[in-house]
Amino acid sequence: MSSRQPLLVVGDVLLDRDLAGDASRLAPDAPAPVVEVADDRSRPGGAGLAAALAARAGREVTLVTALGDDPASEQVRRQLRPVLRLVELPLTGTLPEKTRVLAGGRPLVRFDRGGGTPGEAGPDVAAALDAARAVLVADYGRGTARAVAGHLADAARRGPLVWDPHPRGGQPVPGARLVTPNAAEARTLTGDDARSLHADAARGSRLAAHWRAAAVAVTLGARGALLARAGGDSPMLVPAPYRATGDPCGAGDCFAATAAAALADGALPEEAVQRAVTEATSFVAAGGAGSPALWDGPSPADHTPPRDADPFALARSVRARGGTVIATGGCFDLLHAGHVGLLESARRIGDCLIVCLNSDASVARLKGPGRPLTRLDDRMRVLAGLGCVDAVAVFDEDSPVNLLRRLRPDVWVKGGDYTVDTLPEAATVQEWGGQALVLPYLDGRSTTALARRAARSATGRPRARS
């Protein structure tokens, strides 16, 4: 669908704050790490984040939420008003604030403070809810959804309504098109702690029947999501398109916002969940809710990364967390056991593996007539399907040096038919302090040998003994 339909978001806004830095020593008075704070960022969280994500692609979004007169509420207003329409319920008390302390990109501790009670909906809130044709409820258990539950029940009868639930929140209104608990929430809501895909699907089906929802999508983090309906018929697993290494904070909001937007535009629940899984994966790979680009730069949905994973965004994200970026390269014309062993070993060295892949024209120049045997799109898909490969980047030259200067990996890896001294890319990666390594390679495996055996089999010629 090319036309973006308006979306109404209802729910609890929080103020999220990240204090980020490095911890290299312990405090002298206690065995506690000392974090040297290098960055202090605050941003809307909860329903505010979900609404902002829905609005960043140019969609008209209205957010119904409870805000007060406290500084946290004022900061949320300043950040949200430029991107969406705010319709407020009164808030008695203060807006909840969640502060994370991160060391090396990893959460060390979180402090929660504040909290208030939403008041009654005024005429402007009622008018916005009654006019809504597509609704996302981002329930964080703080009372906003409960305060307008009657209006939400009416909205579910008029058009698609997506409900992102919380164990401390109210039940979704009957008729919701899609409800999106994560796996832990589904276990809490059902009182069933079994851990398996079968159990996740069964819980989704039970919840769909209990809530009288058309469908339930149980989100599974890095594994994707399970779409289930009442009765347990044909649950659908939607796997993540690749393994994202990044901050998962806010991924559930991204999933729910994407699914609601897709349903608003006329997508089926299956299509909505597939888009939501893909977008949430890209969101995590780009740094999650804590990424400065989320508020200061273009929308993650504005880029079109190759094969879903943007290798450059991935490399930046991993480096920002203090991780190690690994890269390797080659034609990978016919993927064989030698390739897989090399890639698996390379991935274990660091925090992500990016494969620099020769284009079809590059392979033809290097390997001669008849090559490549496998076209670029298929080679990319096979590589991206390996669990050890996080992203694929294509280069058209004979050498990946220009691509490497853009990626700036910490380690460049090749198979054992090279030595470090003879690696042509070794000098390039040293320009930014990177390192070239040679890993063991399974002997006797090569694309050329595979192609020759296939040719002999096709002609019926006997295979030479080895």
Side-chain angles (χ1 to χ4, degrees):
M1 298 288 177
S2 59
S3 176
R4 294 189 176 102
Q5 299 300 308
L7 180 67
L8 181 90
V9 180
V10 178
D12 309 300
V13 173
L14 320 169
L15 182 66
D16 287 341
R17 185 183 183 193
D18 282 349
L19 301 174
D22 292 315
S24 58
R25 59 191 176 92
L26 296 177
D29 55 341
V34 176
V35 179
E36 299 285 349
V37 176
D39 195 17
D40 183 349
R41 283 183 173 267
S42 299
R43 62 190 181 274
L49 174 61
L53 289 170
R56 280 172 61 83
R59 186 180 304 274
E60 178 187 331
V61 173
T62 299
L63 172 61
V64 174
T65 192
L67 294 173
D69 298 325
D70 55 296
S73 294
E74 287 299 328
Q75 182 166 346
V76 163
R77 288 188 184 99
R78 286 195 301 272
Q79 288 188 269
L80 289 180
R81 277 177 175 158
V83 297
L84 52 80
R85 177 186 173 221
L86 268 176
V87 180
E88 299 181 19
L89 283 76
L91 180 69
T92 302
T94 60
L95 198 72
E97 297 183 51
K98 296 185 176 183
T99 302
R100 297 192 304 172
V101 180
L102 298 96
R106 300 181 183 276
L108 189 64
V109 67
R110 195 182 89 182
F111 304 102
D112 290 4
R113 64 180 178 182
T117 303
E120 293 185 6
D124 54 343
V125 172
L129 289 161
D130 291 343
R133 292 295 176 265
V135 176
L136 166 62
V137 181
D139 187 6
Y140 273 73
R142 302 280 180 169
T144 301
R146 193 176 294 114
V148 296
H151 294 283
L152 294 175
D154 291 338
R157 289 189 285 269
R158 288 194 305 270
L161 182 143
V162 174
W163 194 295
D164 192 9
H166 193 283
R168 294 196 302 269
Q171 290 196 25
V173 296
R177 187 76 56 87
L178 185 67
V179 186
T180 61
N182 63 37
E185 291 167 344
R187 289 194 294 269
T188 300
L189 289 163
T190 59
D192 174 9
D193 198 44
R195 309 290 179 103
S196 69
L197 289 176
H198 176 75
D200 289 325
R203 279 189 286 267
S205 179
R206 287 169 54 194
L207 289 171
H210 177 66
W211 289 328
R212 288 184 283 168
V216 168
V218 180
T219 59
L220 307 174
R223 291 186 296 165
L226 257 170
L227 181 65
R229 290 180 169 81
D233 295 334
S234 303
M236 184 177 79
L237 175 63
V238 180
Y242 57 93
R243 184 175 56 184
T245 55
D247 186 352
C249 180
D253 297 301
C254 181
F255 181 94
T258 304
L263 291 173
D265 294 343
L268 297 172
E270 290 83 358
E271 297 172 310
V273 170
Q274 289 174 14
R275 293 184 202 176
V277 168
T278 298
E279 191 60 31
T281 304
S282 298
F283 176 81
V284 171
S291 170
L294 183 61
W295 300 98
D296 301 340
S299 166
D302 290 341
H303 66 70
T304 46
R307 302 303 310 173
D308 299 316
D310 182 343
F312 304 101
L314 174 62
R316 288 192 299 270
S317 173
V318 171
R319 277 197 296 270
R321 301 195 321 271
T324 301
V325 178
I326 312 298
T328 189
C331 300
F332 298 96
D333 197 1
L334 287 179
L335 198 68
H336 53 71
H339 291 142
V340 174
L342 170 69
L343 295 170
E344 289 177 337
S345 297
R347 180 60 179 83
R348 287 192 289 268
I349 296 173
D351 298 287
C352 75
L353 174 62
I354 299 171
V355 176
C356 300
L357 184 64
N358 296 72
S359 70
D360 287 347
S362 177
V363 175
R365 290 194 301 270
L366 292 172
K367 301 296 184 179
R371 301 287 295 273
L373 301 170
T374 308
R375 66 183 187 180
L376 178 63
D377 284 350
D378 290 344
R379 290 185 286 132
M380 291 180 69
R381 180 162 187 158
V382 170
L383 285 167
L386 297 177
C388 54
V389 175
D390 297 289
V392 179
V394 178
F395 63 96
D396 198 44
E397 302 88 355
D398 294 343
S399 165
V401 293
N402 291 331
L403 175 58
L404 289 174
R405 288 190 175 105
R406 294 178 61 199
L407 282 173
R408 299 174 68 86
D410 300 292
V411 180
W412 171 251
V413 171
K414 291 292 283 186
D417 47 352
Y418 291 92
T419 65
V420 172
D421 292 338
T422 60
L423 276 180
E425 301 84 13
T428 301
V429 297
Q430 290 172 3
E431 293 172 8
W432 53 87
Q435 182 182 9
L437 293 177
V438 173
L439 295 182
Y441 197 78
L442 288 176
D443 192 29
R445 277 79 169 181
S446 75
T447 299
T448 301
L450 284 173
R452 286 173 178 166
R453 286 203 295 273
R456 282 194 293 267
S457 297
T459 59
R461 292 170 55 192
R463 181 165 64 93
R465 294 181 179 274
S466 59

